[in-house]
Amino acid sequence: MNIFVNIAAICIGLGLILWVMRLVVRQKMSESQSVLWIGIGIAAIILGSFPGLIPKIAGLLGIWYAPSVLLLVATVGLLLILFRNSSVVSIQADEIHELAIQMALLKDENEALKARLAGLESDRD
């Protein structure tokens, strides 16, 4: 296999890890979100560091074109990230719905208290 594929995998892995770490330091990405991205970067570095590993994995999986293993690893990693984000969005949607209900109840309670206060003020006059 071409050494260019290994060098590209290492560079992409390092670049991804550095980019994610930069986002975490700038607080544009949370630590929990960064774990899977860093995992993908580490996997790319490992696959690129051992030139014989990619063809062996390709042979085990029955993949004819060995560099496709990198695409497979990236696809599986992105699917894991997508699944995690979907579950987080689902949980947050439920929490938003609950907050909307609580806000509506508090608004009704506030209106009732205003009406009661207005009634007490009119009784004093």
Side-chain angles (χ1 to χ4, degrees):
M1 190 173 72
N2 191 350
I3 191 73
F4 175 74
V5 174
N6 295 90
I7 294 172
I10 293 171
C11 290
I12 289 171
L14 286 173
L16 181 63
I17 290 172
L18 291 175
W19 187 31
V20 168
M21 289 174 68
R22 182 177 174 196
L23 290 174
V24 170
V25 168
R26 290 183 171 188
Q27 296 180 345
K28 301 222 181 224
M29 180 184 284
S30 69
E31 292 86 2
S32 63
Q33 291 177 334
S34 68
V35 171
L36 286 172
W37 287 107
I38 291 174
I40 292 172
I42 290 171
I45 292 171
I46 290 171
L47 289 173
S49 297
F50 302 102
L53 191 58
I54 294 174
K56 285 182 183 178
I57 293 173
L60 288 173
L61 297 175
I63 298 173
W64 178 74
Y65 184 61
S68 296
V69 171
L70 294 174
L71 183 61
L72 178 65
V73 169
T75 302
V76 169
L78 290 175
L79 284 174
L80 289 172
I81 290 169
L82 181 64
F83 178 74
R84 183 189 176 286
N85 286 343
S86 294
S87 65
V88 167
V89 166
S90 178
I91 291 168
Q92 288 177 344
D94 290 342
E95 290 173 351
I96 289 171
H97 181 62
E98 179 66 28
L99 284 172
I101 291 171
Q102 289 178 5
M103 188 173 171
L105 291 172
L106 287 172
K107 187 175 181 181
D108 285 345
E109 185 179 340
N110 189 23
E111 292 297 325
L113 288 173
K114 282 182 182 178
R116 186 173 159 198
L117 184 61
L120 290 175
E121 287 179 355
S122 66
D123 288 343
R124 284 188 197 171
D125 294 333

